[in-house]
Structures are given as structure tokens and as C-alpha cells.
Amino acid sequence: MVLEKLKSENVKIALIGASKDKEKFGNKIYLDLKLKGYDVIPINPKEKFIEGDRTYPSLNEMDKLPDIVNFVVPPTIAIKVAQEAVKLGIKYLWFQPGSESNELENWLKSSNEIKYLINSCIMVEAL
């Protein structure tokens, strides 16, 4: 389901853990998605701009909510932000390898409304 959403037109992706540090996956994923033509919005409470683009401190401060939230953060942050995303009405969640946990998986499985991918790299799947 999340892969189908990724392939839909004009999909907006929020990247939780976007980074201006070129060595971090938060930067590599951000640049990869931008290069592939995706509308990707960086989310990082510590940065104002990443790669010249406005950064939002959290999902609830975005002008328009994304279709997909992609996580490249530690599991403790991922579950908190995922719960926030669902409360905001976002149903498509994508967790990069390393952002998942048993607690997160159990929570995701308890909902029939959330469409999610765990341990799948968006750079590999996004064309």
C-alpha cells in the first residue's frame, strides 16, 4: 500500500530526521528523493534550512500535511512522531532500517488504518 502511494502523482513526503550533514542518511535520502523529482519536505527541529529548503520543526507545523512520512531517526523518536502523524490523520508511514523497534511494530500492527513499511529503504524503492 505504501509503495502504491509512493508511485501516485504529486505525492508529498515528509522526511523525519532530514539532515544537512552530508555523511548522514537523513541528507542522502533527502537529496536522493529530490533528485528523483519527489516533493520532499525536511523535518528537523534543530535546523531552519536543509539544502536551501525550509525545514519544519514538526509535522504539525507544516503548511500542508504530507501523504507519506518517512523516518530516518532512532526508534524512540520514530514511535513518538509516528503517533503524532496518525493523530494528524496521516496514514502512510515508512520506516528506514534502524528506525524500527518491537514496540513500534506492535503498535503499528494494532491499527487497521495505518499503512506502513518497516526495514525498507525508500532510496531503493523510489524510482
Side-chain angles (χ1 to χ4, degrees):
M1 295 288 244
V2 179
L3 283 174
E4 288 82 19
K5 188 69 170 173
L6 180 67
K7 294 173 183 167
S8 62
E9 286 192 33
N10 302 318
V11 67
K12 182 183 285 242
I13 304 166
L15 181 59
I16 308 299
S19 175
K20 65 180 182 181
D21 182 342
K22 303 250 187 238
E23 298 300 312
K24 292 194 172 193
F25 279 105
N27 184 270
K28 293 173 193 226
I29 293 168
Y30 183 72
L31 290 175
D32 182 74
L33 292 174
K34 295 278 289 183
L35 259 167
K36 291 175 179 171
Y38 288 97
D39 183 6
V40 57
I41 311 301
I43 308 294
N44 185 321
K46 297 177 183 174
E47 303 295 341
K48 297 276 187 216
F49 292 91
I50 292 176
E51 300 298 332
D53 297 324
R54 177 180 175 199
T55 303
Y56 291 87
S58 66
L59 291 170
N60 63 4
E61 295 186 49
M62 293 181 68
D63 298 331
K64 183 179 177 226
L65 291 176
D67 301 296
I68 299 172
V69 179
N70 184 258
F71 296 82
V72 61
V73 291
T76 54
I77 296 170
I79 193 165
K80 288 177 191 170
V81 178
Q83 290 168 339
E84 175 189 334
V86 171
K87 284 180 187 169
L88 291 170
I90 303 165
K91 306 241 187 284
Y92 295 90
L93 309 177
W94 190 315
F95 299 88
Q96 293 295 126
S99 65
E100 77 289 342
S101 67
N102 288 336
E103 179 186 7
L104 174 70
E105 276 193 71
N106 291 336
W107 175 74
L108 290 167
K109 288 176 184 175
S110 72
S111 171
N112 292 329
E113 294 183 27
I114 304 169
K115 312 300 180 218
Y116 64 92
L117 271 175
I118 292 179
N119 250 340
S120 177
C121 182
I122 198 167
M123 290 192 302
V124 173
E125 300 294 342
L127 304 175

